[in-house]
Amino acid sequence: MGNTALENQIKRQSNRRMLELLEISKRFDGVFAIKDVSFSISLGSITGLIGPNGAGKTTLFNVITGFLNPENGTVNFQNRPLTGLSPFKIALSGIGRTFQNLRIIKGLSVEENILLALSEGRVIRSIIKAFERRDSKVEEEKVKELLEVVGLSDKRYDLAGDLSYGQQKLLTIACCLALEPRLLLLDEPVAGIAPEMIEKILGIIKELPSKGKSVIMIEHNLDAIMQVCDRVIFMDAGKKICEGTPEEVRNDPRVIEAYID
């Protein structure tokens, strides 16, 4: 019975481990951008990824999402290996992502940007095909739901290029959610926006675990990290330096030194 209980405990822990990185390394021109990075992300968690510019944070996102192949190491998502899969297949497996350079189409409306994101989940044939389906009741309801989640219902027919920068960030989150990911990778979701918009976006992020989603967010705003994250990973010079609760990491002398410098 003891062995069975232990096996069940291990199984439960394994089932809660959504993402696992094992000894990931990537070099550019012989220089390590990330080296021997390992960590795991639990189901329903919000994890902050912090560190100075050049620490390797976005490179790590690129490895997880298949835009870069690691030279060493393995990425597992829900106990299945992702290493070597295309970004498209990784997205379909349940990982959504935002980028620093927003990647919205400014000449299209807010609704049309979300419709394109919805179509990506069904294998895009053409932009026209996506718009042919816009009268579908299912897609109509989905667009409405996503706009309500991010608070852009009144901007539905506005051009994306006419939105404020903060509203454009909200749109990228809506487009990311359109793929119905189980894990979201958010690259600096509150950088460069007004305080009231920061609070709005953080409020959306806080609600994601209650909807069965996990989050990893790269962010330089430590106050934002402290507000929403369960765990924080600090990277510097391509390596994971420390990991712990937000308080533990913020008070780590190595973190203090990096941010003072």
Side-chain angles (χ1 to χ4, degrees), residues 150-184:
V150 300
L152 290 177
S153 297
D154 61 335
K155 302 292 182 181
R156 181 169 188 158
Y157 304 112
D158 291 9
L159 289 179
D162 290 340
L163 301 179
S164 69
Y165 186 56
Q167 290 169 335
Q168 289 178 359
K169 289 210 168 193
L170 288 170
L171 177 56
T172 66
I173 293 174
C175 290
C176 183
L177 290 171
L179 288 172
E180 299 186 355
R182 292 181 289 280
L183 174 64
L184 287 83

PDB file of all heavy atoms in Angstrom, residues 150-184:
ATOM      1  N   VAL A 150     -11.126  40.905 -22.650  1.00  0.00           N
ATOM      2  CA  VAL A 150     -10.061  41.918 -22.649  1.00  0.00           C
ATOM      3  C   VAL A 150     -10.590  43.352 -22.603  1.00  0.00           C
ATOM      4  O   VAL A 150      -9.817  44.309 -22.636  1.00  0.00           O
ATOM      5  CB  VAL A 150      -9.118  41.741 -23.871  1.00  0.00           C
ATOM      6  CG1 VAL A 150      -8.462  40.376 -23.840  1.00  0.00           C
ATOM      7  CG2 VAL A 150      -9.852  41.974 -25.188  1.00  0.00           C
ATOM      8  N   GLY A 151     -11.914  43.503 -22.553  1.00  0.00           N
ATOM      9  CA  GLY A 151     -12.488  44.839 -22.418  1.00  0.00           C
ATOM     10  C   GLY A 151     -12.418  45.694 -23.678  1.00  0.00           C
ATOM     11  O   GLY A 151     -12.289  46.922 -23.585  1.00  0.00           O
ATOM     12  N   LEU A 152     -12.544  45.065 -24.842  1.00  0.00           N
ATOM     13  CA  LEU A 152     -12.483  45.814 -26.102  1.00  0.00           C
ATOM     14  C   LEU A 152     -13.783  45.707 -26.901  1.00  0.00           C
ATOM     15  O   LEU A 152     -13.792  45.932 -28.112  1.00  0.00           O
ATOM     16  CB  LEU A 152     -11.317  45.321 -26.966  1.00  0.00           C
ATOM     17  CG  LEU A 152      -9.902  45.654 -26.485  1.00  0.00           C
ATOM     18  CD1 LEU A 152      -8.864  45.030 -27.423  1.00  0.00           C
ATOM     19  CD2 LEU A 152      -9.684  47.158 -26.397  1.00  0.00           C
ATOM     20  N   SER A 153     -14.881  45.384 -26.240  1.00  0.00           N
ATOM     21  CA  SER A 153     -16.154  45.211 -26.951  1.00  0.00           C
ATOM     22  C   SER A 153     -16.548  46.462 -27.738  1.00  0.00           C
ATOM     23  O   SER A 153     -17.083  46.364 -28.847  1.00  0.00           O
ATOM     24  CB  SER A 153     -17.267  44.855 -25.961  1.00  0.00           C
ATOM     25  OG  SER A 153     -17.001  43.618 -25.334  1.00  0.00           O
ATOM     26  N   ASP A 154     -16.276  47.640 -27.186  1.00  0.00           N
ATOM     27  CA  ASP A 154     -16.654  48.882 -27.860  1.00  0.00           C
ATOM     28  C   ASP A 154     -15.696  49.255 -28.984  1.00  0.00           C
ATOM     29  O   ASP A 154     -15.938  50.219 -29.712  1.00  0.00           O
ATOM     30  CB  ASP A 154     -16.738  50.028 -26.853  1.00  0.00           C
ATOM     31  CG  ASP A 154     -15.413  50.306 -26.155  1.00  0.00           C
ATOM     32  OD1 ASP A 154     -14.583  49.373 -26.064  1.00  0.00           O
ATOM     33  OD2 ASP A 154     -15.198  51.447 -25.696  1.00  0.00           O
ATOM     34  N   LYS A 155     -14.611  48.463 -29.160  1.00  0.00           N
ATOM     35  CA  LYS A 155     -13.633  48.748 -30.212  1.00  0.00           C
ATOM     36  C   LYS A 155     -13.699  47.699 -31.331  1.00  0.00           C
ATOM     37  O   LYS A 155     -12.817  47.671 -32.198  1.00  0.00           O
ATOM     38  CB  LYS A 155     -12.211  48.749 -29.623  1.00  0.00           C
ATOM     39  CG  LYS A 155     -11.987  49.751 -28.503  1.00  0.00           C
ATOM     40  CD  LYS A 155     -12.052  51.178 -29.008  1.00  0.00           C
ATOM     41  CE  LYS A 155     -11.775  52.174 -27.891  1.00  0.00           C
ATOM     42  NZ  LYS A 155     -11.856  53.579 -28.374  1.00  0.00           N
ATOM     43  N   ARG A 156     -14.734  46.887 -31.320  1.00  0.00           N
ATOM     44  CA  ARG A 156     -14.815  45.724 -32.211  1.00  0.00           C
ATOM     45  C   ARG A 156     -14.541  46.057 -33.675  1.00  0.00           C
ATOM     46  O   ARG A 156     -13.830  45.327 -34.366  1.00  0.00           O
ATOM     47  CB  ARG A 156     -16.195  45.085 -32.072  1.00  0.00           C
ATOM     48  CG  ARG A 156     -16.392  43.851 -32.934  1.00  0.00           C
ATOM     49  CD  ARG A 156     -17.655  43.127 -32.546  1.00  0.00           C
ATOM     50  NE  ARG A 156     -17.763  41.862 -33.232  1.00  0.00           N
ATOM     51  CZ  ARG A 156     -18.512  40.842 -32.818  1.00  0.00           C
ATOM     52  NH1 ARG A 156     -19.203  40.952 -31.708  1.00  0.00           N
ATOM     53  NH2 ARG A 156     -18.564  39.718 -33.498  1.00  0.00           N
ATOM     54  N   TYR A 157     -15.097  47.146 -34.166  1.00  0.00           N
ATOM     55  CA  TYR A 157     -14.985  47.478 -35.592  1.00  0.00           C
ATOM     56  C   TYR A 157     -13.937  48.555 -35.869  1.00  0.00           C
ATOM     57  O   TYR A 157     -13.787  48.987 -37.006  1.00  0.00           O
ATOM     58  CB  TYR A 157     -16.351  47.891 -36.141  1.00  0.00           C
ATOM     59  CG  TYR A 157     -17.395  46.815 -35.913  1.00  0.00           C
ATOM     60  CD1 TYR A 157     -18.450  47.021 -35.017  1.00  0.00           C
ATOM     61  CD2 TYR A 157     -17.314  45.587 -36.561  1.00  0.00           C
ATOM     62  CE1 TYR A 157     -19.387  46.031 -34.788  1.00  0.00           C
ATOM     63  CE2 TYR A 157     -18.253  44.587 -36.339  1.00  0.00           C
ATOM     64  CZ  TYR A 157     -19.288  44.815 -35.454  1.00  0.00           C
ATOM     65  OH  TYR A 157     -20.212  43.827 -35.226  1.00  0.00           O
ATOM     66  N   ASP A 158     -13.211  48.990 -34.828  1.00  0.00           N
ATOM     67  CA  ASP A 158     -12.142  49.966 -35.014  1.00  0.00           C
ATOM     68  C   ASP A 158     -10.927  49.288 -35.648  1.00  0.00           C
ATOM     69  O   ASP A 158     -10.672  48.096 -35.430  1.00  0.00           O
ATOM     70  CB  ASP A 158     -11.713  50.559 -33.672  1.00  0.00           C
ATOM     71  CG  ASP A 158     -12.782  51.448 -33.057  1.00  0.00           C
ATOM     72  OD1 ASP A 158     -13.914  51.465 -33.578  1.00  0.00           O
ATOM     73  OD2 ASP A 158     -12.488  52.106 -32.042  1.00  0.00           O
ATOM     74  N   LEU A 159     -10.165  50.050 -36.401  1.00  0.00           N
ATOM     75  CA  LEU A 159      -8.909  49.525 -36.932  1.00  0.00           C
ATOM     76  C   LEU A 159      -7.937  49.300 -35.782  1.00  0.00           C
ATOM     77  O   LEU A 159      -7.843  50.119 -34.862  1.00  0.00           O
ATOM     78  CB  LEU A 159      -8.298  50.491 -37.938  1.00  0.00           C
ATOM     79  CG  LEU A 159      -8.999  50.641 -39.291  1.00  0.00           C
ATOM     80  CD1 LEU A 159      -8.255  51.663 -40.139  1.00  0.00           C
ATOM     81  CD2 LEU A 159      -9.086  49.308 -40.022  1.00  0.00           C
ATOM     82  N   ALA A 160      -7.216  48.213 -35.848  1.00  0.00           N
ATOM     83  CA  ALA A 160      -6.241  47.912 -34.788  1.00  0.00           C
ATOM     84  C   ALA A 160      -5.207  49.025 -34.668  1.00  0.00           C
ATOM     85  O   ALA A 160      -4.724  49.313 -33.572  1.00  0.00           O
ATOM     86  CB  ALA A 160      -5.561  46.581 -35.069  1.00  0.00           C
ATOM     87  N   GLY A 161      -4.861  49.647 -35.794  1.00  0.00           N
ATOM     88  CA  GLY A 161      -3.877  50.722 -35.788  1.00  0.00           C
ATOM     89  C   GLY A 161      -4.356  51.983 -35.102  1.00  0.00           C
ATOM     90  O   GLY A 161      -3.548  52.858 -34.763  1.00  0.00           O
ATOM     91  N   ASP A 162      -5.678  52.096 -34.889  1.00  0.00           N
ATOM     92  CA  ASP A 162      -6.229  53.274 -34.223  1.00  0.00           C
ATOM     93  C   ASP A 162      -6.309  53.100 -32.705  1.00  0.00           C
ATOM     94  O   ASP A 162      -6.665  54.044 -31.994  1.00  0.00           O
ATOM     95  CB  ASP A 162      -7.631  53.577 -34.769  1.00  0.00           C
ATOM     96  CG  ASP A 162      -7.586  54.086 -36.207  1.00  0.00           C
ATOM     97  OD1 ASP A 162      -6.512  54.557 -36.636  1.00  0.00           O
ATOM     98  OD2 ASP A 162      -8.619  53.987 -36.896  1.00  0.00           O
ATOM     99  N   LEU A 163      -6.013  51.913 -32.219  1.00  0.00           N
ATOM    100  CA  LEU A 163      -6.038  51.678 -30.783  1.00  0.00           C
ATOM    101  C   LEU A 163      -4.813  52.287 -30.115  1.00  0.00           C
ATOM    102  O   LEU A 163      -3.776  52.469 -30.747  1.00  0.00           O
ATOM    103  CB  LEU A 163      -6.046  50.173 -30.497  1.00  0.00           C
ATOM    104  CG  LEU A 163      -7.189  49.329 -31.054  1.00  0.00           C
ATOM    105  CD1 LEU A 163      -6.976  47.871 -30.660  1.00  0.00           C
ATOM    106  CD2 LEU A 163      -8.536  49.830 -30.566  1.00  0.00           C
ATOM    107  N   SER A 164      -4.937  52.560 -28.834  1.00  0.00           N
ATOM    108  CA  SER A 164      -3.760  52.970 -28.070  1.00  0.00           C
ATOM    109  C   SER A 164      -2.820  51.775 -27.944  1.00  0.00           C
ATOM    110  O   SER A 164      -3.214  50.622 -28.186  1.00  0.00           O
ATOM    111  CB  SER A 164      -4.166  53.455 -26.677  1.00  0.00           C
ATOM    112  OG  SER A 164      -4.632  52.354 -25.880  1.00  0.00           O
ATOM    113  N   TYR A 165      -1.581  52.038 -27.535  1.00  0.00           N
ATOM    114  CA  TYR A 165      -0.614  50.949 -27.392  1.00  0.00           C
ATOM    115  C   TYR A 165      -1.093  49.922 -26.368  1.00  0.00           C
ATOM    116  O   TYR A 165      -0.986  48.706 -26.577  1.00  0.00           O
ATOM    117  CB  TYR A 165       0.753  51.520 -26.989  1.00  0.00           C
ATOM    118  CG  TYR A 165       1.862  50.495 -26.950  1.00  0.00           C
ATOM    119  CD1 TYR A 165       2.170  49.721 -28.064  1.00  0.00           C
ATOM    120  CD2 TYR A 165       2.609  50.301 -25.789  1.00  0.00           C
ATOM    121  CE1 TYR A 165       3.192  48.778 -28.028  1.00  0.00           C
ATOM    122  CE2 TYR A 165       3.633  49.365 -25.740  1.00  0.00           C
ATOM    123  CZ  TYR A 165       3.924  48.613 -26.867  1.00  0.00           C
ATOM    124  OH  TYR A 165       4.927  47.679 -26.819  1.00  0.00           O
ATOM    125  N   GLY A 166      -1.663  50.401 -25.281  1.00  0.00           N
ATOM    126  CA  GLY A 166      -2.179  49.490 -24.265  1.00  0.00           C
ATOM    127  C   GLY A 166      -3.320  48.638 -24.797  1.00  0.00           C
ATOM    128  O   GLY A 166      -3.403  47.436 -24.513  1.00  0.00           O
ATOM    129  N   GLN A 167      -4.221  49.255 -25.580  1.00  0.00           N
ATOM    130  CA  GLN A 167      -5.321  48.499 -26.174  1.00  0.00           C
ATOM    131  C   GLN A 167      -4.815  47.482 -27.195  1.00  0.00           C
ATOM    132  O   GLN A 167      -5.368  46.381 -27.314  1.00  0.00           O
ATOM    133  CB  GLN A 167      -6.314  49.463 -26.825  1.00  0.00           C
ATOM    134  CG  GLN A 167      -7.110  50.287 -25.826  1.00  0.00           C
ATOM    135  CD  GLN A 167      -7.884  51.415 -26.479  1.00  0.00           C
ATOM    136  OE1 GLN A 167      -7.528  51.914 -27.550  1.00  0.00           O
ATOM    137  NE2 GLN A 167      -8.959  51.834 -25.824  1.00  0.00           N
ATOM    138  N   GLN A 168      -3.757  47.834 -27.909  1.00  0.00           N
ATOM    139  CA  GLN A 168      -3.156  46.877 -28.841  1.00  0.00           C
ATOM    140  C   GLN A 168      -2.595  45.667 -28.089  1.00  0.00           C
ATOM    141  O   GLN A 168      -2.675  44.528 -28.566  1.00  0.00           O
ATOM    142  CB  GLN A 168      -2.067  47.558 -29.671  1.00  0.00           C
ATOM    143  CG  GLN A 168      -2.608  48.532 -30.699  1.00  0.00           C
ATOM    144  CD  GLN A 168      -1.518  49.245 -31.479  1.00  0.00           C
ATOM    145  OE1 GLN A 168      -0.325  49.044 -31.247  1.00  0.00           O
ATOM    146  NE2 GLN A 168      -1.921  50.101 -32.408  1.00  0.00           N
ATOM    147  N   LYS A 169      -2.043  45.903 -26.911  1.00  0.00           N
ATOM    148  CA  LYS A 169      -1.564  44.779 -26.102  1.00  0.00           C
ATOM    149  C   LYS A 169      -2.730  43.886 -25.664  1.00  0.00           C
ATOM    150  O   LYS A 169      -2.620  42.660 -25.634  1.00  0.00           O
ATOM    151  CB  LYS A 169      -0.786  45.286 -24.894  1.00  0.00           C
ATOM    152  CG  LYS A 169       0.568  45.882 -25.253  1.00  0.00           C
ATOM    153  CD  LYS A 169       1.580  45.701 -24.149  1.00  0.00           C
ATOM    154  CE  LYS A 169       2.986  46.037 -24.625  1.00  0.00           C
ATOM    155  NZ  LYS A 169       4.029  45.610 -23.702  1.00  0.00           N
ATOM    156  N   LEU A 170      -3.851  44.513 -25.321  1.00  0.00           N
ATOM    157  CA  LEU A 170      -5.046  43.741 -24.997  1.00  0.00           C
ATOM    158  C   LEU A 170      -5.488  42.899 -26.182  1.00  0.00           C
ATOM    159  O   LEU A 170      -5.894  41.739 -26.021  1.00  0.00           O
ATOM    160  CB  LEU A 170      -6.183  44.679 -24.567  1.00  0.00           C
ATOM    161  CG  LEU A 170      -6.060  45.349 -23.200  1.00  0.00           C
ATOM    162  CD1 LEU A 170      -7.120  46.425 -23.043  1.00  0.00           C
ATOM    163  CD2 LEU A 170      -6.183  44.323 -22.081  1.00  0.00           C
ATOM    164  N   LEU A 171      -5.412  43.468 -27.367  1.00  0.00           N
ATOM    165  CA  LEU A 171      -5.791  42.733 -28.577  1.00  0.00           C
ATOM    166  C   LEU A 171      -4.882  41.528 -28.796  1.00  0.00           C
ATOM    167  O   LEU A 171      -5.347  40.448 -29.183  1.00  0.00           O
ATOM    168  CB  LEU A 171      -5.759  43.670 -29.795  1.00  0.00           C
ATOM    169  CG  LEU A 171      -6.068  43.020 -31.149  1.00  0.00           C
ATOM    170  CD1 LEU A 171      -7.410  42.305 -31.141  1.00  0.00           C
ATOM    171  CD2 LEU A 171      -6.022  44.084 -32.254  1.00  0.00           C
ATOM    172  N   THR A 172      -3.587  41.690 -28.551  1.00  0.00           N
ATOM    173  CA  THR A 172      -2.679  40.550 -28.727  1.00  0.00           C
ATOM    174  C   THR A 172      -3.009  39.427 -27.739  1.00  0.00           C
ATOM    175  O   THR A 172      -2.886  38.244 -28.077  1.00  0.00           O
ATOM    176  CB  THR A 172      -1.196  40.957 -28.552  1.00  0.00           C
ATOM    177  OG1 THR A 172      -0.948  41.363 -27.203  1.00  0.00           O
ATOM    178  CG2 THR A 172      -0.813  42.074 -29.506  1.00  0.00           C
ATOM    179  N   ILE A 173      -3.449  39.795 -26.533  1.00  0.00           N
ATOM    180  CA  ILE A 173      -3.858  38.770 -25.567  1.00  0.00           C
ATOM    181  C   ILE A 173      -5.112  38.055 -26.054  1.00  0.00           C
ATOM    182  O   ILE A 173      -5.234  36.827 -25.965  1.00  0.00           O
ATOM    183  CB  ILE A 173      -4.074  39.392 -24.178  1.00  0.00           C
ATOM    184  CG1 ILE A 173      -2.733  39.878 -23.603  1.00  0.00           C
ATOM    185  CG2 ILE A 173      -4.727  38.391 -23.228  1.00  0.00           C
ATOM    186  CD1 ILE A 173      -2.846  40.643 -22.307  1.00  0.00           C
ATOM    187  N   ALA A 174      -6.059  38.822 -26.612  1.00  0.00           N
ATOM    188  CA  ALA A 174      -7.274  38.215 -27.154  1.00  0.00           C
ATOM    189  C   ALA A 174      -6.940  37.255 -28.289  1.00  0.00           C
ATOM    190  O   ALA A 174      -7.497  36.152 -28.374  1.00  0.00           O
ATOM    191  CB  ALA A 174      -8.235  39.300 -27.646  1.00  0.00           C
ATOM    192  N   CYS A 175      -6.025  37.658 -29.166  1.00  0.00           N
ATOM    193  CA  CYS A 175      -5.622  36.799 -30.283  1.00  0.00           C
ATOM    194  C   CYS A 175      -4.928  35.535 -29.776  1.00  0.00           C
ATOM    195  O   CYS A 175      -5.100  34.446 -30.333  1.00  0.00           O
ATOM    196  CB  CYS A 175      -4.713  37.557 -31.241  1.00  0.00           C
ATOM    197  SG  CYS A 175      -5.563  38.858 -32.181  1.00  0.00           S
ATOM    198  N   CYS A 176      -4.147  35.690 -28.723  1.00  0.00           N
ATOM    199  CA  CYS A 176      -3.478  34.541 -28.113  1.00  0.00           C
ATOM    200  C   CYS A 176      -4.510  33.581 -27.520  1.00  0.00           C
ATOM    201  O   CYS A 176      -4.444  32.357 -27.716  1.00  0.00           O
ATOM    202  CB  CYS A 176      -2.512  35.031 -27.039  1.00  0.00           C
ATOM    203  SG  CYS A 176      -1.536  33.741 -26.234  1.00  0.00           S
ATOM    204  N   LEU A 177      -5.508  34.118 -26.837  1.00  0.00           N
ATOM    205  CA  LEU A 177      -6.548  33.302 -26.220  1.00  0.00           C
ATOM    206  C   LEU A 177      -7.444  32.629 -27.251  1.00  0.00           C
ATOM    207  O   LEU A 177      -8.074  31.607 -26.960  1.00  0.00           O
ATOM    208  CB  LEU A 177      -7.394  34.158 -25.276  1.00  0.00           C
ATOM    209  CG  LEU A 177      -6.710  34.622 -23.982  1.00  0.00           C
ATOM    210  CD1 LEU A 177      -7.590  35.643 -23.262  1.00  0.00           C
ATOM    211  CD2 LEU A 177      -6.416  33.437 -23.079  1.00  0.00           C
ATOM    212  N   ALA A 178      -7.499  33.184 -28.466  1.00  0.00           N
ATOM    213  CA  ALA A 178      -8.347  32.620 -29.519  1.00  0.00           C
ATOM    214  C   ALA A 178      -7.953  31.188 -29.869  1.00  0.00           C
ATOM    215  O   ALA A 178      -8.787  30.395 -30.304  1.00  0.00           O
ATOM    216  CB  ALA A 178      -8.295  33.499 -30.773  1.00  0.00           C
ATOM    217  N   LEU A 179      -6.693  30.853 -29.672  1.00  0.00           N
ATOM    218  CA  LEU A 179      -6.221  29.491 -29.949  1.00  0.00           C
ATOM    219  C   LEU A 179      -6.556  28.518 -28.824  1.00  0.00           C
ATOM    220  O   LEU A 179      -6.235  27.340 -28.912  1.00  0.00           O
ATOM    221  CB  LEU A 179      -4.701  29.499 -30.174  1.00  0.00           C
ATOM    222  CG  LEU A 179      -4.220  30.111 -31.479  1.00  0.00           C
ATOM    223  CD1 LEU A 179      -2.708  30.218 -31.474  1.00  0.00           C
ATOM    224  CD2 LEU A 179      -4.679  29.288 -32.668  1.00  0.00           C
ATOM    225  N   GLU A 180      -7.196  29.038 -27.768  1.00  0.00           N
ATOM    226  CA  GLU A 180      -7.556  28.238 -26.599  1.00  0.00           C
ATOM    227  C   GLU A 180      -6.355  27.488 -26.025  1.00  0.00           C
ATOM    228  O   GLU A 180      -6.394  26.267 -25.830  1.00  0.00           O
ATOM    229  CB  GLU A 180      -8.703  27.279 -26.943  1.00  0.00           C
ATOM    230  CG  GLU A 180      -9.957  28.013 -27.378  1.00  0.00           C
ATOM    231  CD  GLU A 180     -11.137  27.088 -27.591  1.00  0.00           C
ATOM    232  OE1 GLU A 180     -10.957  25.859 -27.486  1.00  0.00           O
ATOM    233  OE2 GLU A 180     -12.233  27.601 -27.849  1.00  0.00           O
ATOM    234  N   PRO A 181      -5.275  28.209 -25.754  1.00  0.00           N
ATOM    235  CA  PRO A 181      -4.073  27.559 -25.213  1.00  0.00           C
ATOM    236  C   PRO A 181      -4.265  27.153 -23.754  1.00  0.00           C
ATOM    237  O   PRO A 181      -5.048  27.760 -23.024  1.00  0.00           O
ATOM    238  CB  PRO A 181      -3.006  28.652 -25.337  1.00  0.00           C
ATOM    239  CG  PRO A 181      -3.780  29.925 -25.178  1.00  0.00           C
ATOM    240  CD  PRO A 181      -5.108  29.669 -25.856  1.00  0.00           C
ATOM    241  N   ARG A 182      -3.531  26.143 -23.349  1.00  0.00           N
ATOM    242  CA  ARG A 182      -3.508  25.767 -21.933  1.00  0.00           C
ATOM    243  C   ARG A 182      -2.352  26.457 -21.215  1.00  0.00           C
ATOM    244  O   ARG A 182      -2.361  26.593 -19.999  1.00  0.00           O
ATOM    245  CB  ARG A 182      -3.399  24.246 -21.799  1.00  0.00           C
ATOM    246  CG  ARG A 182      -4.658  23.529 -22.267  1.00  0.00           C
ATOM    247  CD  ARG A 182      -4.565  22.032 -22.111  1.00  0.00           C
ATOM    248  NE  ARG A 182      -3.648  21.419 -23.046  1.00  0.00           N
ATOM    249  CZ  ARG A 182      -3.932  21.140 -24.317  1.00  0.00           C
ATOM    250  NH1 ARG A 182      -5.127  21.453 -24.803  1.00  0.00           N
ATOM    251  NH2 ARG A 182      -3.052  20.571 -25.122  1.00  0.00           N
ATOM    252  N   LEU A 183      -1.350  26.879 -22.004  1.00  0.00           N
ATOM    253  CA  LEU A 183      -0.205  27.614 -21.462  1.00  0.00           C
ATOM    254  C   LEU A 183       0.010  28.859 -22.305  1.00  0.00           C
ATOM    255  O   LEU A 183       0.083  28.782 -23.531  1.00  0.00           O
ATOM    256  CB  LEU A 183       1.057  26.744 -21.492  1.00  0.00           C
ATOM    257  CG  LEU A 183       2.367  27.424 -21.099  1.00  0.00           C
ATOM    258  CD1 LEU A 183       2.346  27.868 -19.641  1.00  0.00           C
ATOM    259  CD2 LEU A 183       3.553  26.487 -21.351  1.00  0.00           C
ATOM    260  N   LEU A 184       0.095  30.024 -21.648  1.00  0.00           N
ATOM    261  CA  LEU A 184       0.355  31.283 -22.346  1.00  0.00           C
ATOM    262  C   LEU A 184       1.740  31.789 -21.975  1.00  0.00           C
ATOM    263  O   LEU A 184       2.097  31.841 -20.796  1.00  0.00           O
ATOM    264  CB  LEU A 184      -0.673  32.356 -21.967  1.00  0.00           C
ATOM    265  CG  LEU A 184      -2.089  32.220 -22.523  1.00  0.00           C
ATOM    266  CD1 LEU A 184      -2.903  31.265 -21.670  1.00  0.00           C
ATOM    267  CD2 LEU A 184      -2.771  33.586 -22.580  1.00  0.00           C
TER     268      LEU A 184
END
